Amino acid sequence: MLAALDTYTHTRVSAATPLPGLPDGLIPDTAAPVPAPPAPPPADPAALAAKYATAIPHEWGTAVSGVHTRLAAPGRRIALTIDACGGPNGSDVDNDLIALLDREQIPATFFLNGRWIDANPAVTAQLAANPLFELANHGTRHLPLSVTGKSAYTITGTRSAAEVVDEVLTNHHRLSTITGTPPRWFRPGTAHCDDVAAALVRDIGEQVVGFTVNGDAGATLSPAAVHSALTTTTPGSIVILHGNHPETGTAEGLTTALPQLRAAGTEFVTLTGADGLAP
């Protein structure tokens, strides 16, 4: 995938969104934490599509109502989230990044797209078997999540509630089979969605997760820029990185940032290990 299509940016969609800017648009922790959702009964695709078929969205972006962008209890914690987007030019594996996380015992949440799983079944199994990592849902076709066909970075999104259900639920079932547990977290392709789609995802039993810090700008940043983004991260941040572009600066930037982060007492957690996300 073209780097420009993978680049994620903060988008102001309402007064509740993060302050724009890379890397540290922040949302203050002013509300009660949102715990991890309990396992719901099996979703009925037709019923879900019918429920939201006529709903009208009012927000579009990376931090709309219903999207979580920070941890609830910051402490000294940050959550590293690693997107693996798949598709043309997007199905590689950053083995250096995975090895670094494993060697340094850094927990992380991997958002896997269905196309990336298709290309890397053995690596997917290895990630699922590693207790440091949790697997989360990055969609089936890596589409922006819209009920009206809105686009992000020239990628046309889902066009109806039924297409939203398919984009989320197909990979939901696949990850459930791989890990034995339904995924709790969802990030749309390009990280964009509307508020109706976010509500629909909640009915499936997942929570939509955005980000506080855009750590590698869609795997386009140099090691020095990744280092800078990570070392200016504040407690409670959800950091987005990429694990599908080994040719870029993500792994090296994290490597050089680790000593400073650890000297500051940073604790790395998965999303599930974070004791809840801020609403």
Side-chain angles (χ1 to χ4, degrees), residues 109-191:
T109 302
F110 281 79
F111 281 88
L112 304 187
N113 178 256
R115 304 173 306 170
W116 192 89
I117 295 171
D118 287 338
N120 301 286
V123 179
T124 299
Q126 291 167 7
L127 294 173
N130 192 323
L132 280 172
F133 306 143
E134 68 173 341
L135 303 190
N137 189 351
H138 199 27
T140 303
R141 295 181 291 158
H142 195 258
L143 301 179
L145 213 62
S146 169
V147 295
T148 59
K150 290 185 74 69
S151 299
Y153 311 117
T154 75
I155 300 176
T156 301
T158 49
R159 298 167 296 179
S160 66
E163 289 193 7
V164 170
V165 171
D166 183 68
E167 173 69 8
V168 178
L169 200 54
T170 301
N171 207 41
H172 174 97
H173 289 320
R174 189 169 192 184
L175 287 165
S176 298
T177 299
I178 290 168
T179 66
T181 304
R184 291 178 167 180
W185 317 110
F186 181 85
R187 178 176 286 146
T190 76

Side-chain angles (χ1 to χ4, degrees), residues 5 28 43 53 64 85 112 148 174 193 211 220 227 235 269:
L5 303 187
V64 303
C85 305
L112 304 187
T148 59
R174 189 169 192 184
C193 70
F211 55 92
T220 64
H227 175 104
V269 294

Side-chain angles (χ1 to χ4, degrees), residues 1-2 6 84-93 115-116 120 243-245:
M1 179 178 296
L2 295 176
D6 268 343
C85 305
N89 303 316
S91 290
D92 286 343
V93 179
R115 304 173 306 170
W116 192 89
N120 301 286
N244 61 320
H245 284 285

Side-chain angles (χ1 to χ4, degrees), residues 176-238:
S176 298
T177 299
I178 290 168
T179 66
T181 304
R184 291 178 167 180
W185 317 110
F186 181 85
R187 178 176 286 146
T190 76
H192 282 69
C193 70
D194 63 40
D195 50 325
V196 173
L200 195 159
V201 172
R202 290 195 298 275
D203 277 2
I204 288 175
E206 300 185 34
Q207 298 287 324
V208 182
V209 177
F211 55 92
T212 323
V213 174
N214 193 338
D216 63 5
T220 64
L221 296 185
S222 68
V226 173
H227 175 104
S228 177
L230 292 172
T231 54
T232 55
T233 297
T234 58
S237 292
I238 297 172

